Each structure stands twice: as structure tokens, then as C-alpha cells.
Amino acid sequence: MKADQPIGIFDSGIGGLTAANAILQHLPQENLIYFGDSLHFPYGEKTEESIRAYSIQISDFLLSAGCKSIVIACNSASASAFEAVKAHVGNRALVVDVITPTVYYIEKHLHDLKTVGVIGTRRTIESKAYELGLKAANPELQIKAMATPLLAPMIEEGFVADEVSRIVTKKYLNHPQLQHLDALILACTHYPLIKGDIEAYYNYQVDVLDTPTVIAEYIKDKLGAKGLLSTTPQPEHHFYVSKMTDTFQHTSQLFFSQPFQLQEHNIFED
Ligand code: DGL
């Protein structure tokens, strides 16, 4: 592995761009290759076996593009395929998921928490990945997890910080399971786009974790420890989706602070 090789980032769609955006803000000299598997979106409703198979195919694509690191910027894929991707990739690239950094961050920095909410896809919540990780670190912690399956498709369709997103979000957050929280984990890489609505719903009394930043800082530490931080003066980025839709280019720009062009590339074709 060499420092100037790109970081590969993948998600089931365009949600992982929230992580890609934070990674570039923390590591502006990195080359990025982003892959959104919009053809198979949403992963949150797929079986573990399917998610593992897609994740391994995408990892092969990112390895063939010369990536030094593969970031699984999807909680559903992190919950279902992290171990399988690590085993498959071996020492060819550094594999990072998005659940470990958040669990690690809470363990290290948030000692006074008593009750933590977790919202994500069905796959992520059913896996109990956050619950198990957080409880292992602090058995006293109360975890209130709930699946909010409509949120990712709503955001993927561009309903963000508008009337529709506020009504749907409020409907979920009104559930008794999501009351009386000290902090809330947005366990889906799409949700940072509606973080403002969520914070406002709780009257700014709940610490809604900034997961893209937590993930970016974790990757910076991991790459730094391996001497793999890029110093490329003019880095290049490529953004692929396995299936382009009419609204994608416009919607995906909401996720990313620099102008960029999405390209369709169906790696599953042959
Ligand atoms: N971005 C995915 C995640 O973090 C959610 C969307 C999906 O269901 O594929 O879980």
C-alpha cells in the first residue's frame, strides 16, 4: 500500500457521500473513489447474504482501482459484511466500517451518557451491532434502538429539510422508544442530511452525534498510524453509481460540498 493510492468508499446509494465529504474536509489531499450501489438500494431491506455478496464485488472493484483503503460507508453493510470484506481483502487494503468509529468515540469521549437512541435501517437495527458494541464498553448504558426504514429512501429521493422530511421524521421520533434520550446515533449514512430537523425536534436537548466527522477522524488516525496519509498536491476524485436516476446528480450535490460529477458504472453487469 502506498500513501498516494486512493481511498475507496462505498454505500448502497448516495448516503455515503456524507462520509466522503467529511473525509475530504479532514484529509483534503486524499484521492477518492466513491461507489454507490444504487442498483441494489436499499441494503437495509436485503438479506445479510446479498449484502455480503454485493460488498465483496464492490471491494474487488475498489481494489482493482488501486485503493489503499476501503471504507464501508453504509451501516447496513457494516453490520452485515465488515468481517467478510476484511477476510476477503486481507492485507491488500485497510478496511474500515462506520459502526466501530462511533462505538469507539462514545466509549472514549461521552462518559456521562445514560440513555442512547439508535435509528437506522431494519438490517442495522436487527443486527444489534451498536447495542452489542456499546454494551460491551459500558454494560450500564441503556440503548433504545428503532428501525426508521422510510428515512433513507426519502432522503435518496431528495426530500431533505422540507415539509415531507419533517413530517416523516417527526412521526418516527414521536415513538415512545425515542423519548428521554441523552444522545442519538444516526446509524445510517443518509441521516446526517436531516440532522437539523432531528436536533430541532428534540429542542436541541439531545446530543445528535456528528457521525461523518467521527468516521473521518477515525480514518485519519488509522491511515496516519500506518504512514498512509496522502500528500498529493492536486488529488483526483471519481464518483460512480451502479444505476443513474434522473434526480441523482441534483440530490447528491446536497450531500457534498464541492461540485462533482456522478458517473454510471454497473460493475455487476457481467
Ligand atoms: N446508507 C445506508 C446505511 O447506512 C442506508 C440505506 C439503505 O438501506 O441502503 O445503512
Side-chain angles (χ1 to χ4, degrees), residues 227-238:
L228 284 175
L229 289 173
S230 169
T231 51
T232 311
Q234 282 184 321
E236 272 185 34
H237 312 306
H238 297 276

Side-chain angles (χ1 to χ4, degrees), residues 90-140:
N91 59 11
R92 292 180 289 170
L94 172 73
V95 180
V96 177
D97 73 323
V98 288
I99 297 174
T100 312
T102 306
V103 170
Y104 184 74
Y105 176 84
I106 291 179
E107 193 184 330
K108 284 269 168 288
H109 301 284
L110 303 180
H111 303 289
D112 298 333
L113 296 182
K114 291 192 174 53
T115 308
V116 178
V118 184
I119 53 172
T121 65
R122 284 205 178 90
R123 168 74 21 239
T124 299
I125 299 304
E126 279 168 13
S127 77
K128 295 193 185 314
Y130 281 93
E131 210 160 328
L132 296 171
L134 290 168
K135 285 272 194 192
N138 177 4
E140 303 294 305

Side-chain angles (χ1 to χ4, degrees), residues 11-13 15-16 41-45 73-77 98 121 124 152 187-190:
D11 177 41
S12 56
F41 179 87
Y43 277 13
E45 301 293 317
C74 172
N75 284 265
S76 311
V98 288
T121 65
T124 299
C188 172
T189 49
H190 285 68

